[in-house]
Amino acid sequence: MTLNSSRLTHPAGHDTEIQKYGTVIDRPISLDHKVRLASVASLNQILADTMTLRDMYKKHHWQVSGPTFYQLHLLFDKHYGEQAELVDLLAERVQTLGGVAIAMAPDVAETTRIPRPPRGREDVTMQVFRLLQAHEIIVEDAHEAARAAAANGDDGTNDLLVSDVIRRNELQVWFVSEHIAGAGIADPDEETARSVAAVKA
Ligand SMILES: [Fe+2]
């Protein structure tokens, strides 16, 4: 076997893969093959998006600027750590269901629905917008996948998506979105809420 080749081959001469991506093997967990296949497909999409959001938090942790530098530097790293925990939970759920978890950066880049940010630095407002956009893509997908999992009887996947993914993402959205609240750009309803409060006062 030569290890200095860019294309490694198996010493026994067979395929290096023991299971193809997109397939599920049987597990005695009382869930149909079809159900596990459907759950694995949605979980892998959310996994790829979660890995992208995780890495975006690290990018912004390093590249953040301005008067709130220190606060956001710490917050972004905390959220990075929490997203990393979700990555592991999602990937291990895929394996539990008999699937193959998406793992490597090039595959994640091909799969994620989160738009690619530039390599260079962006200001805090753009950083926050990008994070909120990524969270919303994940939360929207997670709601849909959780409903499908519940309808299919995959309670474990439903629980993971609701209790871990949705609730953690919602909480992070709260912490991040408050940084642009009052700028009149956080939410179109924000101005309405302000006007109502002003009329009542
Ligand atoms: Fe750091």
Side-chain angles (χ1 to χ4, degrees), residues 77-200:
D77 213 29
K78 179 175 183 282
H79 286 191
Y80 165 87
E82 291 168 357
Q83 289 294 331
E85 283 171 19
L86 291 179
V87 163
D88 205 44
L89 289 173
L90 286 160
E92 291 184 357
R93 182 69 195 164
V94 167
Q95 299 295 143
T96 300
L97 292 169
V100 179
I102 196 160
M104 298 305 287
D107 299 317
V108 172
E110 278 175 11
T111 307
T112 186
R113 292 182 196 159
I114 296 168
R116 179 180 177 171
R119 283 194 190 190
R121 289 173 91 188
E122 290 183 305
D123 69 9
V124 170
T125 304
M126 276 315 296
Q127 287 187 324
V128 167
F129 275 169
R130 282 196 192 281
L131 291 167
L132 293 178
Q133 181 191 43
H135 277 295
E136 190 154 44
I137 289 169
I138 290 170
V139 169
E140 198 180 326
D141 255 19
H143 277 297
E144 201 177 307
R147 272 194 293 270
N152 287 336
D154 186 352
D155 300 321
T157 296
N158 172 269
D159 179 49
L160 170 74
L161 291 169
V162 174
S163 309
D164 297 296
V165 176
I166 293 175
R167 294 190 60 183
R168 179 58 61 186
N169 275 276
E170 285 175 342
L171 202 64
Q172 292 190 350
V173 166
W174 172 32
F175 274 76
V176 171
S177 62
E178 282 299 331
H179 282 271
I180 51 168
I185 44 178
D187 189 333
D189 294 334
E190 190 189 338
E191 280 310 305
T192 315
R194 257 172 229 290
S195 322
V196 170
V199 168
K200 280 185 181 166

